[in-house]
């Protein structure tokens, strides 16, 4: 099917700038909807897990709303997933932040940014990538706001983008049907919209 008009289901678990994400996806060519209904998680072409804030609180809200199993099931069945900022972190096994378990869709952990730098890492920074989804955006600037980073356990079948802030960290990743970005494409101007459009191109 054409990615234009693809249905993007945005998960509302009380921790995301949902309206901004929906507007950005609409600009990129999607038909977005926002839901916290477990029965609607698998109703679209792309599942978007946004998020701003604390990892432990995020997992807690997903659990309270009965959303963990539907999100996990969608990803494991091959459904296209995009995790944004905290949403990307929640895809991993665990986080130092609160010592909480994550969704375990991706193997690895989330830990605090290392190095003698200001935390949170807030503002514009560049990404670097040599292959895959992020390669056309290598050297482009995107908007970040985070204190923790994702550390994938297994690089096999994984393509990444990286960014420097105290250390080199994974700022974007693609593992089959699962895509994560540590930055906020919805706050990153035209390049952010174009990246979302490229994600939509992956809709089958």
């Amino acid at each position: 099917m054409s990615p234009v008009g693809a249905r993007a289901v945005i998960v509302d678990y009380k921790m995301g700038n949902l309206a901004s994400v929906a507007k950005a996806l609409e600009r990129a060519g999607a038909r977005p909807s926002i839901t916290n209904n477990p029965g609607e998680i698998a109703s679209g072409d792309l599942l978007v897990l946004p998020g701003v804030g604390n990892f432990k609180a995020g997992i807690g809200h997903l659990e309270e709303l009965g959303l963990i199993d539907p999100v996990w099931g969608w990803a494991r069945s091959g459904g296209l997933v995009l995790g944004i900022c905290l949403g990307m972190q929640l895809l991993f096994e665990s986080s130092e932040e609160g010592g909480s378990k994550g969704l375990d869709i991706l193997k690895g952990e989330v830990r605090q940014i290392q190095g003698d730098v200001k935390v949170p890492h807030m503002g514009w920074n560049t990404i670097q990538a040599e292959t895959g989804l992020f390669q056309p955006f290598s050297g482009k600037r995107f908007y970040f706001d985070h204190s923790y980073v994702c550390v994938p356990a297994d690089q096999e079948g994984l393509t990444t983008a990286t960014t420097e802030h105290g250390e080199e960290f994974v700022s974007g990743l693609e593992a089959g049907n699962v895509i994560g970005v540590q930055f906020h494409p919805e706050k990153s101007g035209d390049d952010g919209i174009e990246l979302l459009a490229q994600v939509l191109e992956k809709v089958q």
Side-chain angles (χ1 to χ4, degrees):
M1 65 172 291
S2 168
V4 176
R7 296 165 298 165
V9 175
I10 303 167
V11 183
D12 176 9
Y13 62 105
K14 307 176 183 177
M15 296 190 70
N17 47 337
L18 306 178
S20 295
V21 172
K23 185 176 180 180
L25 283 162
E26 191 170 25
R27 286 184 59 197
R31 290 185 290 123
S33 63
I34 299 170
T35 187
N36 61 11
N37 183 339
E40 295 178 359
I41 292 300
S43 66
D45 304 300
L46 168 67
L47 185 66
V48 182
L49 192 65
V52 177
N54 180 275
F55 188 102
K56 184 175 182 178
I59 283 292
H61 289 161
L62 286 169
E63 186 172 15
E64 289 169 7
L65 293 165
L67 294 170
I68 288 180
D69 286 346
V71 170
W72 192 92
W74 169 263
R76 288 300 186 184
S77 70
L80 187 61
V81 177
L82 172 63
I84 298 175
C85 197
L86 176 61
M88 172 183 171
Q89 296 176 6
L90 292 172
L91 298 174
F92 283 83
E93 294 176 274
S94 63
S95 175
E96 287 181 352
E97 188 176 23
S100 298
K101 292 183 178 180
L103 292 169
D104 196 13
I105 292 169
L106 297 173
K107 296 301 180 183
E109 65 174 2
V110 179
R111 61 159 173 76
Q112 193 163 27
I113 293 172
Q114 298 178 352
D116 186 18
V117 289
K118 183 178 179 180
V119 176
H121 171 217
M122 184 181 297
W124 295 84
N125 205 341
T126 57
I127 70 171
Q128 303 295 329
E130 297 182 357
T131 59
L133 171 68
F134 300 102
Q135 190 278 328
F137 302 93
S138 190
K140 301 285 189 180
R141 290 164 60 84
F142 292 87
Y143 188 83
F144 290 81
D145 184 2
H146 64 113
S147 300
Y148 290 78
V149 295
C150 299
V151 184
D154 187 359
Q155 296 291 328
E156 185 176 352
L158 184 71
T159 60
T160 61
T162 59
T163 296
E164 290 277 351
H165 184 73
E167 61 175 322
E168 184 180 68
F169 66 89
V170 173
S171 52
L173 61 83
E174 182 180 10
N177 59 303
V178 180
I179 299 166
V181 290
Q182 187 58 71
F183 51 85
H184 289 274
E186 76 279 7
K187 296 181 178 180
S188 298
D190 291 341
D191 287 327
I193 300 302
E194 179 58 28
L195 177 63
L196 292 174
Q198 292 301 310
V199 172
L200 292 170
E201 289 284 350
K202 296 182 176 294
V203 169
Q204 300 298 316

